[in-house]
Amino acid sequence: MKVFVDGQYGTTGLKIQERLNQRNDVEVLSISEEHKKDLGNRITLMNEADIVFLCLPDQAAREAQTLITNPNTRVIDSSTAFRTNDDWTYGLPELSALQRTEIANAARVSVPGCHATAFVLAINPLVQRGILPRNYPVSYHSLTGYSGGGKALIEQYETEDGSFSVLNSNRRHPQHYSLSLDHKHLPEMKKLTNLEFQPVFLPTVCNFYNGMVGTVPLVTRMLINQPGLQEIHAALTDYYQGETFVRVIPLDESKEISEYTLDPTLCNGTNDAEIFVLGNDDQVLIACRLDNLGKGSSGAAIQCMNIMSGLDEGLGLIS
């Protein structure tokens, strides 16, 4: 199988390339950094490939996909450009019982955003099971590593050797962003969970490179039939039964988590997502932990590639 990564020198592209280079079933078509803007070379490689990963800014991804004229070349895009486009398949296999089949048969797949992945995994089952009303005023907060902002944000935190920048030492403190409440992942959060309204979403970037935890608080008296903590946990556990990469942490394990220890980095280097159901019967907190560069981007892209190619979806993702 021939694969080309367009944007292979960006944060997500580098991670995809790193994962692909460890496999002997994939031929990675590459372009040197000094020739990465050679349009003719790019077009040739894209149309020679069986699968093209687009790891580009939104507008560049829109332009790049028009350059692929080979009807047999399939595309996996990591940008925001196509995530709510009905002509593209949403690349979250755990979304529903039918999603894997749709991904397997798709010519164009859009990989979810990291914040959206955590949110959809946490909330979608509750909407589908008739527990969370579609008009519920959902709030969502996330803590995430600075790599999610790409090279521009990484440069604000690090020097060229990867150490923290003294000039930007103020960046060592967690910082809220997207304070206008219009984060670019919001449309897919709303659409893929079938909510009537977008959640109120406040992300916070922290002084670690990768990893994230997204949290959604729920008031149970506002839920359908007012379920308690155990019922909510049971619904999520049943929904993800048998999944390789999504695990709902048992309640007895969750109770053992002491304060200050829901570490956002503990899924780093994996394609795993862990869901915690915390709180009590009156107020429930659903937390989803994942690697924003794993299940939140490159890992999810490789998982989709495996499914599209008829391979074990864990190939190259399980150590």
Side-chain angles (χ1 to χ4, degrees), residues 199-226:
V200 177
F201 174 41
L202 181 63
T204 302
V205 64
C206 302
N207 63 344
F208 49 86
Y209 185 76
N210 58 312
M212 67 171 291
V213 171
T215 54
V216 179
L218 298 173
V219 179
T220 58
R221 68 176 180 273
M222 297 177 65
L223 303 181
I224 297 170
N225 297 324
Q226 300 183 13

PDB file of all heavy atoms in Angstrom, residues 199-226:
ATOM      1  N   PRO A 199     -22.326  23.470  22.685  1.00  0.00           N
ATOM      2  CA  PRO A 199     -21.964  23.582  24.094  1.00  0.00           C
ATOM      3  C   PRO A 199     -21.227  24.891  24.362  1.00  0.00           C
ATOM      4  O   PRO A 199     -20.658  25.497  23.458  1.00  0.00           O
ATOM      5  CB  PRO A 199     -21.032  22.384  24.316  1.00  0.00           C
ATOM      6  CG  PRO A 199     -20.452  22.123  22.976  1.00  0.00           C
ATOM      7  CD  PRO A 199     -21.547  22.441  21.986  1.00  0.00           C
ATOM      8  N   VAL A 200     -21.252  25.320  25.616  1.00  0.00           N
ATOM      9  CA  VAL A 200     -20.378  26.406  26.053  1.00  0.00           C
ATOM     10  C   VAL A 200     -19.024  25.764  26.325  1.00  0.00           C
ATOM     11  O   VAL A 200     -18.891  24.964  27.251  1.00  0.00           O
ATOM     12  CB  VAL A 200     -20.925  27.095  27.318  1.00  0.00           C
ATOM     13  CG1 VAL A 200     -19.949  28.181  27.786  1.00  0.00           C
ATOM     14  CG2 VAL A 200     -22.298  27.691  27.048  1.00  0.00           C
ATOM     15  N   PHE A 201     -18.048  26.092  25.508  1.00  0.00           N
ATOM     16  CA  PHE A 201     -16.769  25.383  25.551  1.00  0.00           C
ATOM     17  C   PHE A 201     -15.634  26.326  25.925  1.00  0.00           C
ATOM     18  O   PHE A 201     -15.395  27.328  25.257  1.00  0.00           O
ATOM     19  CB  PHE A 201     -16.492  24.748  24.188  1.00  0.00           C
ATOM     20  CG  PHE A 201     -15.136  24.102  24.070  1.00  0.00           C
ATOM     21  CD1 PHE A 201     -14.596  23.358  25.109  1.00  0.00           C
ATOM     22  CD2 PHE A 201     -14.398  24.235  22.904  1.00  0.00           C
ATOM     23  CE1 PHE A 201     -13.350  22.762  24.993  1.00  0.00           C
ATOM     24  CE2 PHE A 201     -13.154  23.634  22.767  1.00  0.00           C
ATOM     25  CZ  PHE A 201     -12.623  22.904  23.824  1.00  0.00           C
ATOM     26  N   LEU A 202     -14.928  25.968  27.004  1.00  0.00           N
ATOM     27  CA  LEU A 202     -13.773  26.753  27.435  1.00  0.00           C
ATOM     28  C   LEU A 202     -12.542  25.851  27.484  1.00  0.00           C
ATOM     29  O   LEU A 202     -12.391  25.045  28.401  1.00  0.00           O
ATOM     30  CB  LEU A 202     -14.012  27.365  28.818  1.00  0.00           C
ATOM     31  CG  LEU A 202     -12.853  28.218  29.347  1.00  0.00           C
ATOM     32  CD1 LEU A 202     -12.628  29.429  28.447  1.00  0.00           C
ATOM     33  CD2 LEU A 202     -13.118  28.660  30.782  1.00  0.00           C
ATOM     34  N   PRO A 203     -11.651  25.964  26.510  1.00  0.00           N
ATOM     35  CA  PRO A 203     -10.406  25.187  26.531  1.00  0.00           C
ATOM     36  C   PRO A 203      -9.315  25.934  27.301  1.00  0.00           C
ATOM     37  O   PRO A 203      -9.310  27.166  27.354  1.00  0.00           O
ATOM     38  CB  PRO A 203     -10.045  25.066  25.051  1.00  0.00           C
ATOM     39  CG  PRO A 203     -10.610  26.309  24.434  1.00  0.00           C
ATOM     40  CD  PRO A 203     -11.828  26.689  25.237  1.00  0.00           C
ATOM     41  N   THR A 204      -8.400  25.172  27.866  1.00  0.00           N
ATOM     42  CA  THR A 204      -7.260  25.738  28.575  1.00  0.00           C
ATOM     43  C   THR A 204      -5.993  25.050  28.106  1.00  0.00           C
ATOM     44  O   THR A 204      -5.901  23.814  28.145  1.00  0.00           O
ATOM     45  CB  THR A 204      -7.404  25.548  30.099  1.00  0.00           C
ATOM     46  OG1 THR A 204      -8.619  26.166  30.542  1.00  0.00           O
ATOM     47  CG2 THR A 204      -6.226  26.163  30.840  1.00  0.00           C
ATOM     48  N   VAL A 205      -5.028  25.841  27.643  1.00  0.00           N
ATOM     49  CA  VAL A 205      -3.754  25.269  27.215  1.00  0.00           C
ATOM     50  C   VAL A 205      -2.801  25.300  28.403  1.00  0.00           C
ATOM     51  O   VAL A 205      -2.742  26.274  29.158  1.00  0.00           O
ATOM     52  CB  VAL A 205      -3.183  26.029  25.999  1.00  0.00           C
ATOM     53  CG1 VAL A 205      -2.851  27.476  26.334  1.00  0.00           C
ATOM     54  CG2 VAL A 205      -1.957  25.304  25.457  1.00  0.00           C
ATOM     55  N   CYS A 206      -2.071  24.197  28.580  1.00  0.00           N
ATOM     56  CA  CYS A 206      -1.204  24.033  29.740  1.00  0.00           C
ATOM     57  C   CYS A 206       0.248  23.831  29.308  1.00  0.00           C
ATOM     58  O   CYS A 206       0.544  23.645  28.136  1.00  0.00           O
ATOM     59  CB  CYS A 206      -1.671  22.832  30.573  1.00  0.00           C
ATOM     60  SG  CYS A 206      -3.381  22.954  31.131  1.00  0.00           S
ATOM     61  N   ASN A 207       1.154  23.844  30.283  1.00  0.00           N
ATOM     62  CA  ASN A 207       2.583  23.810  29.970  1.00  0.00           C
ATOM     63  C   ASN A 207       3.132  22.389  29.913  1.00  0.00           C
ATOM     64  O   ASN A 207       4.212  22.110  30.428  1.00  0.00           O
ATOM     65  CB  ASN A 207       3.374  24.655  30.979  1.00  0.00           C
ATOM     66  CG  ASN A 207       3.261  24.099  32.397  1.00  0.00           C
ATOM     67  OD1 ASN A 207       2.383  23.291  32.678  1.00  0.00           O
ATOM     68  ND2 ASN A 207       4.138  24.528  33.278  1.00  0.00           N
ATOM     69  N   PHE A 208       2.399  21.494  29.288  1.00  0.00           N
ATOM     70  CA  PHE A 208       2.930  20.187  28.910  1.00  0.00           C
ATOM     71  C   PHE A 208       2.697  20.012  27.413  1.00  0.00           C
ATOM     72  O   PHE A 208       1.789  20.626  26.847  1.00  0.00           O
ATOM     73  CB  PHE A 208       2.300  19.044  29.716  1.00  0.00           C
ATOM     74  CG  PHE A 208       0.799  19.052  29.787  1.00  0.00           C
ATOM     75  CD1 PHE A 208       0.027  18.466  28.802  1.00  0.00           C
ATOM     76  CD2 PHE A 208       0.143  19.654  30.855  1.00  0.00           C
ATOM     77  CE1 PHE A 208      -1.351  18.466  28.856  1.00  0.00           C
ATOM     78  CE2 PHE A 208      -1.245  19.661  30.931  1.00  0.00           C
ATOM     79  CZ  PHE A 208      -1.984  19.060  29.930  1.00  0.00           C
ATOM     80  N   TYR A 209       3.521  19.190  26.783  1.00  0.00           N
ATOM     81  CA  TYR A 209       3.530  19.130  25.320  1.00  0.00           C
ATOM     82  C   TYR A 209       2.266  18.499  24.755  1.00  0.00           C
ATOM     83  O   TYR A 209       1.627  19.057  23.869  1.00  0.00           O
ATOM     84  CB  TYR A 209       4.760  18.348  24.842  1.00  0.00           C
ATOM     85  CG  TYR A 209       4.918  18.346  23.342  1.00  0.00           C
ATOM     86  CD1 TYR A 209       5.393  19.472  22.673  1.00  0.00           C
ATOM     87  CD2 TYR A 209       4.590  17.210  22.582  1.00  0.00           C
ATOM     88  CE1 TYR A 209       5.543  19.475  21.290  1.00  0.00           C
ATOM     89  CE2 TYR A 209       4.733  17.213  21.204  1.00  0.00           C
ATOM     90  CZ  TYR A 209       5.198  18.342  20.565  1.00  0.00           C
ATOM     91  OH  TYR A 209       5.337  18.350  19.202  1.00  0.00           O
ATOM     92  N   ASN A 210       1.905  17.307  25.230  1.00  0.00           N
ATOM     93  CA  ASN A 210       0.707  16.655  24.703  1.00  0.00           C
ATOM     94  C   ASN A 210      -0.049  15.938  25.815  1.00  0.00           C
ATOM     95  O   ASN A 210       0.473  15.704  26.905  1.00  0.00           O
ATOM     96  CB  ASN A 210       1.049  15.681  23.577  1.00  0.00           C
ATOM     97  CG  ASN A 210       2.021  14.583  23.992  1.00  0.00           C
ATOM     98  OD1 ASN A 210       3.052  14.855  24.609  1.00  0.00           O
ATOM     99  ND2 ASN A 210       1.708  13.341  23.656  1.00  0.00           N
ATOM    100  N   GLY A 211      -1.288  15.591  25.490  1.00  0.00           N
ATOM    101  CA  GLY A 211      -2.203  15.010  26.462  1.00  0.00           C
ATOM    102  C   GLY A 211      -3.357  15.960  26.725  1.00  0.00           C
ATOM    103  O   GLY A 211      -3.219  17.181  26.572  1.00  0.00           O
ATOM    104  N   MET A 212      -4.511  15.407  27.100  1.00  0.00           N
ATOM    105  CA  MET A 212      -5.646  16.266  27.415  1.00  0.00           C
ATOM    106  C   MET A 212      -6.699  15.519  28.218  1.00  0.00           C
ATOM    107  O   MET A 212      -6.782  14.285  28.176  1.00  0.00           O
ATOM    108  CB  MET A 212      -6.285  16.854  26.164  1.00  0.00           C
ATOM    109  CG  MET A 212      -6.972  15.873  25.234  1.00  0.00           C
ATOM    110  SD  MET A 212      -7.920  16.709  23.924  1.00  0.00           S
ATOM    111  CE  MET A 212      -9.264  17.437  24.867  1.00  0.00           C
ATOM    112  N   VAL A 213      -7.482  16.280  28.959  1.00  0.00           N
ATOM    113  CA  VAL A 213      -8.686  15.787  29.622  1.00  0.00           C
ATOM    114  C   VAL A 213      -9.808  16.773  29.333  1.00  0.00           C
ATOM    115  O   VAL A 213      -9.660  17.981  29.562  1.00  0.00           O
ATOM    116  CB  VAL A 213      -8.503  15.655  31.145  1.00  0.00           C
ATOM    117  CG1 VAL A 213      -9.846  15.362  31.820  1.00  0.00           C
ATOM    118  CG2 VAL A 213      -7.517  14.560  31.489  1.00  0.00           C
ATOM    119  N   GLY A 214     -10.909  16.260  28.801  1.00  0.00           N
ATOM    120  CA  GLY A 214     -12.099  17.071  28.594  1.00  0.00           C
ATOM    121  C   GLY A 214     -13.155  16.672  29.610  1.00  0.00           C
ATOM    122  O   GLY A 214     -13.337  15.479  29.869  1.00  0.00           O
ATOM    123  N   THR A 215     -13.845  17.644  30.191  1.00  0.00           N
ATOM    124  CA  THR A 215     -14.841  17.356  31.229  1.00  0.00           C
ATOM    125  C   THR A 215     -16.182  18.007  30.914  1.00  0.00           C
ATOM    126  O   THR A 215     -16.241  19.144  30.445  1.00  0.00           O
ATOM    127  CB  THR A 215     -14.363  17.833  32.613  1.00  0.00           C
ATOM    128  OG1 THR A 215     -14.007  19.231  32.535  1.00  0.00           O
ATOM    129  CG2 THR A 215     -13.152  17.039  33.074  1.00  0.00           C
ATOM    130  N   VAL A 216     -17.241  17.254  31.172  1.00  0.00           N
ATOM    131  CA  VAL A 216     -18.612  17.733  30.978  1.00  0.00           C
ATOM    132  C   VAL A 216     -19.383  17.517  32.269  1.00  0.00           C
ATOM    133  O   VAL A 216     -19.593  16.367  32.678  1.00  0.00           O
ATOM    134  CB  VAL A 216     -19.319  16.987  29.824  1.00  0.00           C
ATOM    135  CG1 VAL A 216     -20.749  17.507  29.664  1.00  0.00           C
ATOM    136  CG2 VAL A 216     -18.546  17.138  28.520  1.00  0.00           C
ATOM    137  N   PRO A 217     -19.821  18.583  32.958  1.00  0.00           N
ATOM    138  CA  PRO A 217     -20.639  18.428  34.162  1.00  0.00           C
ATOM    139  C   PRO A 217     -22.117  18.307  33.797  1.00  0.00           C
ATOM    140  O   PRO A 217     -22.603  18.997  32.891  1.00  0.00           O
ATOM    141  CB  PRO A 217     -20.366  19.720  34.932  1.00  0.00           C
ATOM    142  CG  PRO A 217     -20.082  20.736  33.865  1.00  0.00           C
ATOM    143  CD  PRO A 217     -19.454  19.992  32.714  1.00  0.00           C
ATOM    144  N   LEU A 218     -22.818  17.423  34.466  1.00  0.00           N
ATOM    145  CA  LEU A 218     -24.252  17.234  34.215  1.00  0.00           C
ATOM    146  C   LEU A 218     -25.017  17.286  35.531  1.00  0.00           C
ATOM    147  O   LEU A 218     -24.587  16.711  36.539  1.00  0.00           O
ATOM    148  CB  LEU A 218     -24.497  15.883  33.543  1.00  0.00           C
ATOM    149  CG  LEU A 218     -23.868  15.664  32.167  1.00  0.00           C
ATOM    150  CD1 LEU A 218     -24.073  14.223  31.716  1.00  0.00           C
ATOM    151  CD2 LEU A 218     -24.437  16.634  31.138  1.00  0.00           C
ATOM    152  N   VAL A 219     -26.140  17.958  35.519  1.00  0.00           N
ATOM    153  CA  VAL A 219     -27.049  17.990  36.668  1.00  0.00           C
ATOM    154  C   VAL A 219     -28.131  16.946  36.404  1.00  0.00           C
ATOM    155  O   VAL A 219     -28.909  17.075  35.453  1.00  0.00           O
ATOM    156  CB  VAL A 219     -27.661  19.396  36.839  1.00  0.00           C
ATOM    157  CG1 VAL A 219     -28.630  19.410  38.019  1.00  0.00           C
ATOM    158  CG2 VAL A 219     -26.555  20.438  37.028  1.00  0.00           C
ATOM    159  N   THR A 220     -28.178  15.910  37.208  1.00  0.00           N
ATOM    160  CA  THR A 220     -29.020  14.759  36.872  1.00  0.00           C
ATOM    161  C   THR A 220     -30.508  15.074  36.904  1.00  0.00           C
ATOM    162  O   THR A 220     -31.284  14.416  36.216  1.00  0.00           O
ATOM    163  CB  THR A 220     -28.725  13.584  37.813  1.00  0.00           C
ATOM    164  OG1 THR A 220     -28.953  13.978  39.169  1.00  0.00           O
ATOM    165  CG2 THR A 220     -27.271  13.126  37.667  1.00  0.00           C
ATOM    166  N   ARG A 221     -30.927  16.070  37.683  1.00  0.00           N
ATOM    167  CA  ARG A 221     -32.357  16.390  37.718  1.00  0.00           C
ATOM    168  C   ARG A 221     -32.844  16.955  36.383  1.00  0.00           C
ATOM    169  O   ARG A 221     -34.049  16.995  36.120  1.00  0.00           O
ATOM    170  CB  ARG A 221     -32.665  17.371  38.857  1.00  0.00           C
ATOM    171  CG  ARG A 221     -32.101  18.760  38.680  1.00  0.00           C
ATOM    172  CD  ARG A 221     -32.533  19.690  39.819  1.00  0.00           C
ATOM    173  NE  ARG A 221     -31.992  21.025  39.653  1.00  0.00           N
ATOM    174  CZ  ARG A 221     -30.804  21.431  40.081  1.00  0.00           C
ATOM    175  NH1 ARG A 221     -30.022  20.555  40.728  1.00  0.00           N
ATOM    176  NH2 ARG A 221     -30.390  22.667  39.885  1.00  0.00           N
ATOM    177  N   MET A 222     -31.919  17.385  35.531  1.00  0.00           N
ATOM    178  CA  MET A 222     -32.275  17.925  34.227  1.00  0.00           C
ATOM    179  C   MET A 222     -32.175  16.876  33.127  1.00  0.00           C
ATOM    180  O   MET A 222     -32.445  17.162  31.963  1.00  0.00           O
ATOM    181  CB  MET A 222     -31.373  19.121  33.885  1.00  0.00           C
ATOM    182  CG  MET A 222     -31.530  20.288  34.839  1.00  0.00           C
ATOM    183  SD  MET A 222     -30.387  21.644  34.444  1.00  0.00           S
ATOM    184  CE  MET A 222     -30.997  22.147  32.834  1.00  0.00           C
ATOM    185  N   LEU A 223     -31.793  15.655  33.489  1.00  0.00           N
ATOM    186  CA  LEU A 223     -31.690  14.582  32.514  1.00  0.00           C
ATOM    187  C   LEU A 223     -33.003  13.813  32.435  1.00  0.00           C
ATOM    188  O   LEU A 223     -33.852  13.896  33.345  1.00  0.00           O
ATOM    189  CB  LEU A 223     -30.547  13.639  32.891  1.00  0.00           C
ATOM    190  CG  LEU A 223     -29.163  14.272  33.033  1.00  0.00           C
ATOM    191  CD1 LEU A 223     -28.131  13.217  33.387  1.00  0.00           C
ATOM    192  CD2 LEU A 223     -28.764  15.026  31.767  1.00  0.00           C
ATOM    193  N   ILE A 224     -33.199  13.073  31.383  1.00  0.00           N
ATOM    194  CA  ILE A 224     -34.431  12.316  31.188  1.00  0.00           C
ATOM    195  C   ILE A 224     -34.498  11.182  32.203  1.00  0.00           C
ATOM    196  O   ILE A 224     -33.570  10.383  32.331  1.00  0.00           O
ATOM    197  CB  ILE A 224     -34.503  11.778  29.744  1.00  0.00           C
ATOM    198  CG1 ILE A 224     -34.555  12.955  28.758  1.00  0.00           C
ATOM    199  CG2 ILE A 224     -35.730  10.881  29.554  1.00  0.00           C
ATOM    200  CD1 ILE A 224     -34.380  12.550  27.305  1.00  0.00           C
ATOM    201  N   ASN A 225     -35.582  11.137  32.956  1.00  0.00           N
ATOM    202  CA  ASN A 225     -35.805  10.143  34.022  1.00  0.00           C
ATOM    203  C   ASN A 225     -34.821  10.255  35.187  1.00  0.00           C
ATOM    204  O   ASN A 225     -34.723   9.352  36.023  1.00  0.00           O
ATOM    205  CB  ASN A 225     -35.783   8.710  33.466  1.00  0.00           C
ATOM    206  CG  ASN A 225     -36.892   8.461  32.473  1.00  0.00           C
ATOM    207  OD1 ASN A 225     -38.001   8.983  32.630  1.00  0.00           O
ATOM    208  ND2 ASN A 225     -36.611   7.691  31.439  1.00  0.00           N
ATOM    209  N   GLN A 226     -34.076  11.332  35.236  1.00  0.00           N
ATOM    210  CA  GLN A 226     -33.196  11.656  36.356  1.00  0.00           C
ATOM    211  C   GLN A 226     -32.323  10.460  36.785  1.00  0.00           C
ATOM    212  O   GLN A 226     -32.386  10.009  37.936  1.00  0.00           O
ATOM    213  CB  GLN A 226     -34.029  12.164  37.551  1.00  0.00           C
ATOM    214  CG  GLN A 226     -34.825  13.403  37.223  1.00  0.00           C
ATOM    215  CD  GLN A 226     -35.592  13.959  38.399  1.00  0.00           C
ATOM    216  OE1 GLN A 226     -35.363  13.579  39.552  1.00  0.00           O
ATOM    217  NE2 GLN A 226     -36.523  14.857  38.139  1.00  0.00           N
TER     218      GLN A 226
END
